[in-house]
Amino acid sequence: MMKKRMIVMIAAVSFAVAPAFAQHAHEGAGGSHGPAMSNGAVDHNNANGSTKGTSSSPTNVLSKNSKLDSKLTSKLQSKGLLPAGTDLKDACAGFKNLGQCVAAIHVSHNLDVPFACMRANMTGTAPAAGTTCATGTGSSKLSLGKSIHTLAPAADSKTASKTATTEADADIKAAQTAS
């Protein structure tokens, strides 16, 4: 009877901790997220596909891949998300990566929030001169969701963030495919 209980306890503990071990990263299989965990999302950190010795800032990515820059700029302009004559490299300066910038552009359009305010919140810089923003802009870098919550408190920041990120992924992927 004692042996039977011990076997049952060992089995129960094994099943209880197995999911925790399954969630640890496997470094050899695609960095900290294995290929199976990518969900097919675009790598915002390096939209030009190169990972060695390059900076992943949006300005660097767009400077090194002018086709991506022009395709993404025209895609965003055709949707009315980026005013004609706007340089995407300038608009995205200060963001951590290209996907973050494009998602902020989408949020700005989707929620009718000035992009200059989104940029100020997310990059920790002062808003452009003449731009009136809600409090909390420019002091520290906020996430996309926290920026949405600050600038559009009535909006569901989680849903708006997810929508904008999905739209950004699609735009970047389409521009990469076309370039």
Side-chain angles (χ1 to χ4, degrees):
M1 184 74 163
M2 184 71 148
K3 255 187 180 179
K4 201 174 198 180
R5 274 189 172 190
M6 184 67 114
I7 291 173
V8 169
M9 284 180 56
I10 290 172
V13 169
S14 297
F15 286 118
V17 297
F21 287 116
Q23 293 179 7
H24 288 280
H26 301 282
E27 288 300 322
S32 64
H33 302 286
M37 294 181 75
S38 71
N39 294 330
V42 174
D43 180 5
H44 298 295
N45 290 325
N46 203 350
N48 66 2
S50 172
T51 57
K52 293 188 178 183
T54 61
S55 172
S56 61
S57 77
T59 305
N60 286 347
V61 170
L62 294 170
S63 293
K64 291 178 189 230
N65 190 338
S66 59
K67 284 185 181 179
L68 176 65
D69 184 11
S70 66
K71 295 288 182 185
L72 189 55
T73 297
S74 51
K75 183 163 190 60
L76 293 172
Q77 287 175 344
S78 71
K79 290 181 170 186
L81 300 175
L82 195 65
T86 302
D87 184 358
L88 189 58
K89 288 185 285 296
D90 291 340
C92 291
F95 282 92
K96 284 193 285 186
N97 56 55
L98 185 58
Q100 186 187 51
C101 174
V102 177
I105 291 169
H106 277 284
V107 166
S108 175
H109 180 261
N110 296 347
L111 300 179
D112 197 28
V113 172
F115 175 70
C117 298
M118 286 296 297
R119 181 176 178 212
N121 269 2
M122 295 179 70
T123 63
T125 59
T131 305
T132 304
C133 301
T135 59
T137 55
S139 57
S140 62
K141 295 180 183 183
L142 300 178
S143 68
L144 182 64
K146 287 182 180 178
S147 294
I148 293 167
H149 182 70
T150 299
L151 298 169
D156 178 353
S157 61
K158 187 174 182 178
T159 300
S161 177
K162 186 173 182 172
T163 300
T165 301
T166 300
E167 292 169 336
D169 285 347
D171 286 344
I172 293 170
K173 188 173 184 177
Q176 285 177 321
T177 303
S179 60

